[in-house]
Amino acid sequence: MAGRGDPPEGTPEGVPGGADDEYRSVVFDESFVRAARLQEFSAQERLADHSHPVRSRPAWSSAGRSKQALLLILLIFVAFGTAIYMGVRHPYQPPRLTSVDPLSMTVIPLAPKQPVPGAEPGRLYAHSPAAEYRSGAAGVTMPPTRRTEHFSEGQVVAALVTAKDYIVESSLDPDVLTGGAVRSVRLLLDPGQLEQFDRSFAHPRDDGQHSATGWVVRFDPAEVALADADVRVRGVLNVAEADDKALEVVADHTFVYAVRAAGDEEPDRASLFTVRRELHFRFDPEDLGMHRAELTSSVAQAGPEACADDPSGYLRPLLAGQTAESDGSAGTDPYATGRVTAALCGVMAPSVMPDPGRAEG
């Protein structure tokens, strides 16, 4: 019996599997029909027009591909244009180099009129004008703040905070004090001063513009070591408008360091070294937003130190028992307040030298 769907006479001889097997792999799905370029008219359409049994179909797939290609090209152009625009207007461009004045600096050695007293650091501090000074950054106190005519209170605070950070990094950081890296100080400066800063450390000169000690306090680690990590500090910060486009902060601080000869571990051979720094900072709105400052003036009095020593690269304290020749009878008090007067060299007032011998009485 013939199978279901087979001809009554069975499959014709010589045609394996039936004629349908030849077209079984061809699937006339909906997309195939839509893609056909020719379409047969319907029966009613053929009755109306016998001369054209078929009609051409619009090439929808070709048109769609053309539209897609055009859209892709447009997207590429838009992406390319956006990349160029973002490259020009990138929000993280390198800082703009502004035109700023070079830092004017003066370092004044103060020579002693007597041998430098030596003792244990605590005893020296207790019998010196620094007895009541605070230790470290706590001694760099912030004044009350209020807005100015052209700057908000937040901008005034930003100026004071940046100035304090510069003072702490440049005068109290143990790495900076012992001749180490100064990157933490450099990051706080206006980009327009970085070349002068780098040159001052690469080739220090006592020319009023390229002394490393005009930027920071530091000692030659081959000669001097810190006998006590707690530096005693006292001073003030004052802020005012330099003009309608800038704030000015004036910092006046005295720092007292306990030092000893490098390699000398005897605790009772420490001595005190005093540095008074008057720093003038200028902040424009861009500096305020970037947490950086333009340092316009730096004047330091440092002693006991011999006048003959070059202080441009390092401050060179006279250590316990050492002395130096000094000219003149009037003494300079680095603990005093008021404007620092510039001079080539000064005499350290005997009254400010520590008197550790009193601790034994």
Side-chain angles (χ1 to χ4, degrees), residues 131-210:
E132 302 301 323
Y133 283 18
R134 294 183 179 182
S135 296
V140 186
T141 56
M142 299 281 284
T145 59
R146 63 178 183 274
R147 65 169 295 118
T148 65
E149 182 179 357
H150 299 98
F151 292 87
S152 68
E153 183 177 356
Q155 290 176 310
V156 172
V157 171
L160 289 168
V161 168
T162 304
K164 177 176 179 175
D165 288 347
Y166 186 92
I167 293 164
V168 170
E169 295 296 335
S170 66
S171 309
L172 299 174
D173 186 328
D175 288 338
V176 174
L177 294 175
T178 54
V182 292
R183 183 174 182 272
S184 60
V185 181
R186 190 180 189 274
L187 290 173
L188 295 169
L189 288 171
D190 186 289
Q193 292 190 308
L194 296 182
E195 182 180 355
Q196 182 189 8
F197 181 88
D198 293 340
R199 191 178 303 171
S200 298
F201 287 88
H203 305 287
R205 300 192 307 274
D206 189 14
D207 61 357
Q209 289 192 344
H210 298 97

Side-chain angles (χ1 to χ4, degrees), residues 11-36:
T11 303
E13 188 175 348
V15 181
D20 289 343
D21 288 346
E22 182 177 355
Y23 304 101
R24 189 165 295 166
S25 61
V26 180
V27 180
F28 296 96
D29 58 9
E30 186 178 353
S31 62
F32 178 87
V33 174
R34 284 201 306 268

Side-chain angles (χ1 to χ4, degrees), residues 8 17 40 47 51 58 69 94 175 180 193 208 218 251 274 278 300 313 325 335 349:
E40 184 179 3
L47 288 174
S51 62
D175 288 338
Q193 292 190 308
R218 72 171 187 165
T274 305
E278 184 180 289
E325 294 183 2
Y335 294 87

Side-chain angles (χ1 to χ4, degrees), residues 214-296:
W215 301 96
V216 302
V217 175
R218 72 171 187 165
F219 309 111
D220 186 347
E223 299 178 2
V224 178
L226 294 176
D228 190 342
D230 289 332
V231 181
R232 304 301 173 91
V233 187
R234 176 180 286 179
V236 294
L237 288 166
N238 292 304
V239 61
E241 285 193 4
D243 50 49
D244 61 349
K245 296 181 177 61
L247 286 171
E248 181 182 57
V249 174
V250 179
D252 186 357
H253 291 82
T254 297
F255 305 88
V256 186
Y257 307 88
V259 296
R260 56 177 173 80
D264 187 350
E265 301 295 337
E266 293 295 330
D268 60 348
R269 290 183 56 80
S271 59
L272 296 186
F273 187 74
T274 305
V275 180
R276 182 182 173 192
R277 303 184 78 195
E278 184 180 289
L279 305 177
H280 291 244
F281 301 91
R282 181 182 173 91
F283 299 88
D284 61 25
E286 185 176 3
D287 288 331
L288 293 171
M290 298 297 291
H291 189 60
R292 66 192 189 199
E294 176 188 347
L295 187 57
T296 61

Side-chain angles (χ1 to χ4, degrees), residues 45-70:
E45 289 173 330
R46 289 198 300 272
L47 288 174
D49 187 357
H50 298 284
S51 62
H52 300 286
V54 296
R55 62 183 173 192
S56 298
R57 296 191 58 166
W60 293 106
S61 58
S62 298
R65 285 194 296 269
S66 298
K67 291 180 179 178
Q68 290 178 352
L70 179 60

